[in-house]
Amino acid sequence: MNMIQASHVNKTFMSDKGEELTVLKDMSLSLHEGEIVAILGRSGAGKSTFLRTLAGLVPPTSGSVSYRGKELHGPNPGVAMVFQTFALMPWLTVESNVELGLQARGINRKDRRSAALQAIDSIGLDGFESAYPKELSGGMRQRVGIARALVLEPDALFMDEPFSALDVLTAENLRQEVLNLWSNGEGKLRSILIVTHNIEEAVQMADRVVVLGSHPGHVIANVDVELPRPRDKHAPEFEDMVDTLYAILTGKGSETGARTAHSWNPISGIRQMTAESPNSRMLPDATPGGLAGLLEIVDGYPDGIDLADLASALSFEVDDLFPLLDAGTLLGMLDVKEGHVTVTEVGHRWNDADILNSKVVFADIAMSHVPLVRAIDRSLRQSKNGSLHGDMIVDLLRSKEPEDVARKQFHIAVEWGRYGELFDYDADDDMLTLDEAAL
């Protein structure tokens, strides 16, 4: 039975400069009774915004969200939330924090105390009722957050990256606690919806994984996880499912980094910036040094390596690994197919070069594959004195992108150009100049 239904949800925000930013685009999702669903995606996919929209905390710009057949026009009465940052009141005890929601509902002191103590006991915090948050570890604070949600006896428990702020062992222990509470069938809890960027966590916990693409957030896949519980992370079936999700995020997901190039107004020597490929991509937030380290590791596997194994070996999350993979594929150094990554001939050429030649090779690759780096280089060469104000480049980018995105793209391009000794940048004077090596 459909419990929560999102239909063609779009969400836009207005920036301080009056720019309209689309965060969610045509998002639809059904949450059924008796299932755990994970929303998986990279940074910028709007996962948390979508979760809050389903919870009725953020109204959609268009489309609708309904709870048990009734469209929401405010907070969802069937949902309780658990947050990544715990969101506890530091001046209240554990018991008082857990009672907050009940107090807001007007429950009398005796009944809310009884319900709070039961919830505290069920999550393994018996004996800490009178403790304050500052006395608790991160894992225990999150237990308080879970108890505070469960005491409301919600139909659905919404969890926004609830384990990402915890150490590996604590996070694993708490995942199992939540799964045990779910399997025990205590209370009125019917469904769990968890936002995560951890692929193994999604496979471990969920019956279904909804994969989002980025910029703006949109659904790219809906994958059933038909594995018996408890799930063994080392079982071939588990690893196959992890590989499948990696393949989706790097295959269909690669389109999430794609953007149309901007038709900028030609100004002085910047005319070359209008002539770039119509399929140029946003620059991933990755450093040349980080990319060099990744290539060196992948190059150690002649036949390449599965992304799940690579992430495990590096102890990387999706948001750590994917920018490097995106940079490697954008520069033609890595080939990623079906969740498997190999070093290309171009990648070998850069990886095998010595320190001095590696910069020359990188400069050649960046000029061939990165329109923004190429445009800055050409504009500098066409300027009268080989220099330009950085803000002029940022302003051109900002004509089509929000300011924070424009500045981020500019600084990534500068970092790549400086590494390849194409140009230099003086942040104090905001001045771009051709590098002496380039001259």
Side-chain angles (χ1 to χ4, degrees):
M1 175 182 177
N2 269 4
M3 189 165 63
I4 298 174
Q5 176 73 49
S7 300
H8 306 291
V9 166
N10 294 280
K11 182 62 184 177
T12 59
F13 292 99
M14 198 66 69
S15 72
D16 294 338
K17 292 183 173 289
E19 301 166 335
E20 191 175 87
L21 176 63
T22 301
V23 179
L24 305 177
K25 182 179 180 181
D26 197 27
M27 301 272 279
S28 295
L29 178 142
S30 298
L31 181 63
H32 309 292
E33 285 196 7
E35 69 173 351
I36 301 176
V37 174
I39 298 177
L40 177 70
R42 310 188 192 192
S43 291
K47 302 185 296 294
S48 295
T49 301
F50 190 44
L51 190 75
R52 284 160 172 75
T53 303
L54 295 172
L57 303 178
V58 174
T61 304
S62 62
S64 65
V65 177
S66 60
Y67 167 64
R68 296 197 177 278
K70 294 183 178 180
E71 187 172 345
L72 294 177
H73 297 286
N76 192 326
V79 165
M81 295 275 292
V82 176
F83 301 95
Q84 175 186 358
T85 55
F86 318 138
L88 303 181
M89 304 302 175
W91 59 87
L92 297 179
T93 64
V94 167
E95 182 182 331
S96 296
N97 265 289
V98 174
E99 288 183 18
L100 275 177
L102 297 175
Q103 189 174 1
R105 290 183 177 181
I107 307 297
N108 67 66
R109 180 173 177 77
K110 180 181 178 181
D111 288 345
R112 71 175 185 253
R113 185 171 192 273
S114 174
L117 292 177
Q118 183 177 348
I120 288 168
D121 185 45
S122 70
I123 202 64
L125 283 175
D126 193 24
F128 289 89
E129 298 87 352
S130 60
Y132 288 89
K134 67 180 181 181
E135 303 174 60
L136 306 177
S137 66
M140 294 173 76
R141 290 180 199 174
Q142 192 57 291
R143 287 175 186 270
V144 177
I146 295 171
R148 183 179 56 191
L150 292 177
V151 77
L152 299 174
E153 297 189 324
D155 270 352
L157 181 65
F158 281 14
M159 310 183 81
D160 189 2
E161 302 204 21
F163 313 118
S164 61
L166 308 176
D167 65 83
V168 174
L169 293 178
T170 301
E172 179 62 24
N173 178 256
L174 205 46
R175 285 188 204 102
Q176 291 300 327
E177 291 284 349
V178 171
L179 289 171
N180 289 338
L181 285 169
W182 169 254
S183 62
N184 291 339
E186 296 182 8
K188 297 181 180 180
L189 188 62
R190 297 289 179 266
S191 299
I192 296 176
L193 184 63
I194 180 169
V195 160
T196 182
H197 59 252
N198 184 317
I199 293 178
E200 288 196 351
E201 179 174 277
V203 176
Q204 180 183 3
M205 298 194 70
D207 302 301
R208 182 160 54 97
V209 180
V210 178
V211 186
L212 304 187
S214 306
H215 306 299
H218 59 285
V219 177
I220 58 176
N222 203 321
V223 182
D224 291 326
V225 184
E226 297 175 342
L227 300 177
R229 300 183 188 276
R231 292 172 180 169
D232 180 3
K233 288 185 176 182
H234 303 292
E237 297 81 7
F238 188 100
E239 294 176 349
D240 287 346
M241 181 58 66
V242 170
D243 289 342
T244 296
L245 292 173
Y246 267 109
I248 292 170
L249 279 167
T250 56
K252 294 178 182 177
S254 66
E255 70 190 33
T256 65
R259 291 286 187 93
T260 301
H262 318 307
S263 182
W264 294 312
N265 294 327
I267 301 175
S268 182
I270 320 259
R271 288 189 177 89
Q272 291 293 338
M273 298 179 91
T274 64
E276 303 303 345
S277 163
N279 294 312
S280 62
R281 291 176 56 183
M282 296 286 280
L283 302 185
D285 189 6
T287 66
L291 181 58
L294 181 67
L295 252 70
E296 188 171 350
I297 291 171
V298 177
D299 195 39
Y301 299 86
D303 298 322
I305 181 173
D306 287 343
L307 294 180
D309 295 333
L310 179 60
S312 177
L314 296 172
S315 298
F316 273 16
E317 299 284 5
V318 167
D319 289 341
D320 300 321
L321 181 60
F322 279 1
L324 292 169
L325 292 171
D326 287 343
T329 54
L330 174 64
L331 294 167
M333 298 177 180
L334 294 174
D335 185 28
V336 181
K337 291 180 180 176
E338 300 298 324
H340 192 82
V341 58
T342 54
V343 179
T344 65
E345 182 180 344
V346 172
H348 283 301
R349 183 158 58 92
W350 184 47
N351 189 56
D352 295 340
D354 59 33
I355 294 177
L356 293 179
N357 285 326
S358 68
K359 291 181 174 291
V360 176
V361 173
F362 186 88
D364 180 54
I365 294 170
M367 288 288 286
S368 299
H369 291 79
V370 186
L372 182 54
V373 170
R374 182 166 61 244
I376 293 172
D377 178 83
R378 289 176 178 175
S379 300
L380 285 168
R381 292 180 185 279
Q382 291 177 11
S383 66
K384 290 182 179 180
N385 57 1
S387 65
L388 289 171
H389 282 285
D391 262 348
M392 185 167 66
I393 307 297
V394 173
D395 283 345
L396 292 169
L397 291 167
R398 194 166 50 201
S399 68
K400 295 293 183 180
E401 301 289 352
E403 182 166 356
D404 59 336
V405 175
R407 290 197 176 277
K408 189 67 176 177
Q409 288 294 289
F410 171 73
H411 286 295
I412 294 171
V414 165
E415 186 169 19
W416 290 15
R418 292 173 85 171
Y419 178 84
E421 296 184 346
L422 292 168
F423 43 81
D424 204 351
Y425 177 63
D426 187 329
D428 291 333
D429 296 330
D430 184 39
M431 191 64 69
L432 285 159
T433 53
L434 283 171
D435 192 286
E436 290 183 5
L439 289 171

